[in-house]
């Protein structure tokens, strides 16, 4: 491999570092109206009246939109494959508000100052309802969604009369009977909190009508093609009248896998004929977009006296907040991306409900349910090991999935529907565990060493994820040969700052045999680039990468065909620079051939395309080991070293893959030790970066990331995904290390010093 498995710099790196205009706000029309949203101060209420007269009289206010200005079209904000597995339960603007931050009205004005002034002059009369704020009491409580239009696109267990957005249940074998036969059974309850994305760039969108009379929307989104489809629905505008452009994006982490400000700027533009722009404040990002699903797990696990796990039973309650975005799919991933890790059980059961509350909606977030499920499962595995008096490493190596094996879960559970059967062709989890032990010096440090009032200890966890959604996620690519022998690569895939434009260029270059600097990527624009479901579900490298590989293979065939015509024989080969007769009697450079093609001979543009839908979703695997230092006088936990060894198949760009894992690990450590959204009567209290604590470089002393030598036959040049898996292991690994240090088991996140100290005191 010449271009793949090579740490070349990101193709957009220098331009972004130099501050070149690249982001949505950089590209917004200078005369764009500024759009601001009036948001509900109440968690649950009906709007009795809205008086906008005084606000409209302010000079510079162009228009004010209320629920009377939008078509009565119900939809879901979730940017997923169509038909979406999320319930249609929201109007762009509604006469009911269901959480603090829900949209009430939109103001468009000549500048931000005027818009803010107008917001204060809008008079709204509310009828207040008793909100549902405790997700453990939400089921069969006061109904939150009573609108007759609410529905699901297919059966997802949607039952609004019971406050249930989605339900799911599956089982293999007889769990009760298997648990009865077990020598040891552990039953525990685990809780994971909501978590904010905290991407640097907030939600931004701008819109204008072009000279063809079409609506153009430039937006920081992970899912431009889904945005176009959703806008078409909510605006009653045909898809061919809408163009969505995705510029560079300052992070997403799942938070931009949905529609947010786009309908408001679009409607303002349609109503006024003028460009419009919305930039969410940080407070709006916290309160009015969405967060990670809060979950509670009741889990039972049983094994024989030799440590062979026989049955796993998981019951889950998930809180989707006011709307059901990604409700079912995040819930299912909590099982489908964790339970196959232990594929030798005789029986397994997974199920539960996703309930509505009058809190900030939950939605997609890196890890997408797997991190929640991993915390519960990988913690209870350690509990089982402790009860069996065997080591955490031993119980995992006895029971974990291995190369060549399968799990019935793959077929039973997909995302929102059935999955697909898979035999695992690449799994180096056993190497990851062994290498991780070496790097952390497990045998020297397990379980702990005490130094005065400090204890150093180690803990571990393993994880798996997926590579796109099989039979659902689609990627496509177009390659165009230029007259100097370079190529334009057009992809609908969305680079969120991950470096996917670079990675996809490397795949194209490798296939063509050219250097990566000959590939000029462009992503993504619904008018110019081919269809792609978007950047989520760890799909880009595997799904979009395969489509690029196919397009490049097709382009190579075209080059050989045209070269054969020029050289007078079909026995030719292409080395990336020249097409050469196999008998070496003549040759022509790609640049010469391109010039001939476009200016003087056979005048023909070479354009190749490729599309790909995965028939499987090969999991990446990871083993993580953490060393912590715990202060017994305060309960404070510091991460001294976090070691992760990852099997992601072939890392197309090892450096970009490494920083993906490192960033995800830090996010996972943040969820474990620091991050916690607090509500008071339905209002988020820590809705600023001053009050919402995330880890910084000082909080993690050392990160060590290595990759296993692995090759996935179905992936482009052996690649699997790497974008999400890094976030999965920190909660369980750190919780397990805390148990190894103190003997106390913390089963709810975040693990604050107060919780640790209190648990240690209770154990005395």
């Amino acid at each position: 491999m010449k271009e793949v498995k090579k740490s070349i710099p990101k193709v957009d790196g220098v331009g972004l570092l130099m501050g070149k205009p690249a982001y949505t706000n950089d590209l917004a029309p200078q005369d764009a109206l500024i759009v601001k949203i009036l948001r509900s101060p109440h968690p649950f209420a009906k709007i009795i009246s809205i008086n906008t007269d005084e606000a409209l009289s302010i000079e510079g206010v162009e228009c004010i939109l209320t629920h009377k200005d939008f078509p009565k079209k119900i939809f879901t904000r979730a940017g997923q494959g169509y038909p979406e597995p999320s319930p249609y339960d929201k109007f762009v603007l509604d006469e009911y508000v269901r959480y603090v931050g829900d949209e009430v009205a939109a103001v468009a004005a000549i500048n931000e100052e005027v818009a803010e002034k107008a917001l204060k002059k809008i008079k709204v009369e509310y009828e207040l309802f008793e909100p549902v704020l405790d997700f453990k009491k939400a089921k069969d409580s006061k109904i939150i969604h009573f609108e007759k239009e609410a529905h699901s696109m297919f059966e997802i267990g949607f039952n609004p009369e019971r406050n249930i957005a989605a339900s799911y249940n599956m089982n293999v074998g007889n769990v009760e009977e298997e648990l009865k036969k077990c020598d040891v059974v552990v039953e525990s309850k685990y809780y994971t909190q909501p978590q904010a994305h905290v991407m640097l760039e907030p939600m931004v969108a701008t819109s204008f009508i072009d000279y063809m009379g079409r609506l153009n929307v430039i937006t920081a989104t992970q899912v431009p093609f889904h945005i176009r489809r959703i806008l078409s629905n909510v605006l009653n505008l045909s898809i061919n009248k809408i163009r969505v452009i995705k510029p560079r994006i300052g992070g997403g982490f799942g938070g931009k896998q949905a529609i947010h400000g786009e309908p408001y700027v679009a409607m303002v533009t349609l109503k006024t004929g003028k460009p419009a722009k919305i930039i969410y404040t940080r407070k709006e990002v916290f309160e009015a977009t969405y967060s990670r699903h809060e979950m509670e797990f009741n889990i039972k696990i049983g094994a024989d006296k030799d440590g062979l796990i026989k049955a796993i039973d998981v019951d889950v309650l998930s809180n989707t907040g006011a709307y059901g975005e990604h409700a079912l799919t995040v819930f299912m991933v909590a099982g489908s991306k964790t339970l196959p890790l232990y594929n030798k059980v005789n029986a397994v059961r997974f199920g539960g409900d996703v309930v509505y509350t009058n809190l900030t909606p939950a939605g997609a977030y890196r890890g997408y349910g797997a991190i929640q499920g991993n915390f519960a499962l990988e913690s209870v595995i350690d509990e089982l090991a402790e009860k069996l008096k065997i080591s955490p490493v031993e119980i995992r190596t006895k029971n974990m999935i291995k190369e060549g094996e399968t799990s019935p879960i793959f077929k039973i559970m997909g995302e929102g529907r059935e999955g697909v059967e898979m035999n695992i062709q690449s799994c180096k989890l056993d190497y990851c565990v062994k290498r991780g032990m070496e790097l952390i010096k497990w045998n020297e440090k397990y379980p702990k060493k005490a130094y005065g009032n400090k204890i150093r200890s180690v803990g571990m966890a393993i994880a798996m994820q997926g590579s796109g959604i099989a039979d659902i996620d689609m990627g496509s690519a177009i390659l165009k040969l230029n007259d100097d022998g370079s190529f334009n690569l057009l992809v609908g895939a969305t680079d969120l700052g991950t470096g996917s434009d670079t990675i996809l260029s490397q795949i194209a270059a490798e296939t063509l045999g050219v250097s990566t600097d000959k590939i000029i990527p462009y992503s993504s624009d619904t008018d110019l680039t081919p269809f792609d479901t978007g950047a989520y579900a760890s799909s880009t490298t595997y799904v979009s990468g395969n489509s690029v590989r196919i397009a490049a293979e097709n382009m190579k065939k075209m080059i050989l065909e045209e070269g054969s015509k020029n050289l007078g024989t079909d026995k030719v080969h292409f080395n990336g620079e020249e097409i050469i007769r196999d008998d070496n009697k003549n040759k022509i450079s790609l640049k010469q051939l391109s010039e001939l093609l476009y200016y003087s001979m056979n005048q023909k543009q070479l354009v190749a395309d490729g599309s790909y839908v995965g028939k499987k979703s090969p999991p990446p695997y990871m083993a993580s080991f953490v060393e912590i230092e715990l202060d017994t006088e305060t309960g404070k936990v510091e991460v001294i070293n976090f070691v992760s060894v990852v099997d992601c198949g072939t890392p197309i760009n090892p450096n970009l893959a490494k920083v993906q894992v490192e960033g995800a690990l830090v996010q996972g450590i943040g969820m474990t030790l620091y991050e916690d959204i607090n509500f008071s009567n339905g209002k988020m209290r820590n809705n600023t970066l001053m009050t919402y604590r995330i880890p910084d470089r000082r909080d993690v002393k050392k990160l060590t990331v290595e990759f296993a030598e692995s090759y996935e036959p179905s992936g482009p040049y052996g690649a699997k995904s790497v974008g999400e898996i890094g976030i999965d292991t920190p909660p369980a690994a750190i919780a397990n290390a805390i148990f190894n240090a103190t003997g106390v088991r913390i089963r709810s996140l975040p693990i604050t010093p107060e919780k640790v100290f209190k648990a240690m005191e209770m154990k005395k």
Side-chain angles (χ1 to χ4, degrees), residues 708-727:
E709 280 293 327
S710 176
Y711 189 92
E712 167 56 39
S714 68
Y717 299 100
K720 298 187 282 189
S721 80
V722 75
E724 290 186 276
I725 190 169
I727 201 171

Side-chain angles (χ1 to χ4, degrees), residues 170 212 296 321 505 584 723:
M170 61 72 69
M212 301 280 283
E296 183 180 79
S505 297
N584 286 324

Side-chain angles (χ1 to χ4, degrees), residues 24 201-205 218-222 247-249 256 262:
T24 300
E201 182 198 29
M203 284 66 181
V204 186
I218 306 172
T219 177
T221 181
Q222 297 175 224
R248 310 318 296 169
I249 295 180
K256 294 171 181 170
E262 294 89 346

Side-chain angles (χ1 to χ4, degrees), residues 115 123 130 132 135 370 381 472 496 517 541 550 583 588 701:
K123 295 181 175 61
E130 184 69 27
V132 179
F135 82 117
I381 290 287
I472 294 178
L496 311 178
D517 61 6
T541 299
I550 293 167
D583 58 11
I588 183 171
K701 309 302 181 195

Side-chain angles (χ1 to χ4, degrees), residues 180-329:
K180 283 178 190 173
K181 291 186 237 173
C182 290
D183 297 312
V184 174
V185 174
V186 173
E187 182 173 1
S188 283
K189 181 179 291 189
Y190 285 88
Y191 168 82
T192 63
Q193 81 281 34
Q195 182 187 19
H197 299 79
V198 200
M199 71 292 281
L200 286 181
E201 182 198 29
M203 284 66 181
V204 186
T206 185
S207 60
F208 60 92
I209 302 289
D210 66 18
Y211 68 98
M212 301 280 283
R214 299 171 73 233
L215 174 67
N216 284 238
V217 178
I218 306 172
T219 177
T221 181
Q222 297 175 224
V223 287
F225 287 90
H226 294 329
I227 294 294
R228 184 177 64 168
R229 188 191 69 247
I230 295 169
L231 281 177
S232 169
N233 173 41
V234 301
L235 299 175
N236 268 347
L237 200 61
S238 62
I239 279 179
N240 63 32
K241 296 290 185 187
I242 304 170
R243 177 185 183 185
V244 175
I245 301 164
K246 174 219 69 81
R248 310 318 296 169
I249 295 180
F253 311 120
K256 294 171 181 170
Q257 194 197 330
I259 198 162
H260 292 292
E262 294 89 346
Y264 307 104
V265 290
M267 185 56 96
V268 166
T269 292
L270 292 174
K271 191 163 184 173
T272 65
K274 298 181 179 180
K277 179 174 75 174
I278 189 167
I279 302 177
Y280 278 40
T281 63
R282 186 55 62 178
K283 180 182 174 188
E284 285 179 304
V285 176
F286 273 111
E287 289 187 345
T289 59
Y290 52 57
S291 59
R292 189 184 295 287
H293 287 81
E294 177 183 33
M295 290 188 183
E296 183 180 79
F297 295 80
N298 286 286
I299 184 165
K300 280 186 202 174
I301 187 166
D304 66 18
K305 58 182 171 30
D306 295 323
L308 295 174
I309 300 171
K310 299 298 181 184
I312 305 174
D313 187 12
V314 186
D315 181 72
V316 188
L317 182 66
S318 175
N319 179 10
T320 192
Y323 299 100
E325 292 124 357
H326 304 268
L328 177 66
T329 42

Side-chain angles (χ1 to χ4, degrees), residues 312 314 335-343 348 350 377 409 413:
I312 305 174
V314 186
S336 65
K337 297 294 188 288
T338 55
L339 294 170
L341 278 170
Y342 300 101
N343 64 331
V348 58
F350 178 90
L377 183 61
I409 306 295
M413 295 179 71

Side-chain angles (χ1 to χ4, degrees), residues 55-101:
L56 273 170
S57 69
I58 298 173
E59 185 177 352
V61 174
E62 291 278 338
C63 77
I64 297 177
L65 305 173
T66 71
H67 61 87
K68 296 174 184 174
D69 295 291
F70 275 89
K72 191 76 172 172
K73 300 293 289 288
I74 202 159
F75 75 114
T76 173
R77 293 194 303 183
Q80 299 176 280
Y82 182 83
E84 302 97 333
S86 295
Y88 277 35
D89 56 8
K90 183 169 176 56
F91 299 103
V92 178
L93 292 174
D94 193 4
E95 59 186 320
Y96 292 91
V97 288
R98 294 181 171 85
Y99 69 100
V100 174

Side-chain angles (χ1 to χ4, degrees), residues 563-605:
S564 294
K565 291 176 187 173
N566 182 273
L567 297 173
T569 174
D570 58 0
K571 297 186 184 307
V572 298
H573 58 278
F574 175 48
N575 66 7
E577 294 184 359
E578 298 169 321
I579 302 96
I580 308 166
R581 285 175 60 114
D582 287 352
D583 58 11
N584 286 324
K585 289 184 177 176
N586 200 0
K587 63 183 178 182
I588 183 171
S589 72
L590 180 60
K591 183 174 184 300
Q592 289 173 318
L593 178 66
S594 305
E595 287 174 351
L596 289 171
L597 277 172
Y598 299 147
Y599 294 113
S600 58
M601 184 194 83
N602 293 337
Q603 293 181 281
K604 178 181 179 184
Q605 170 71 61

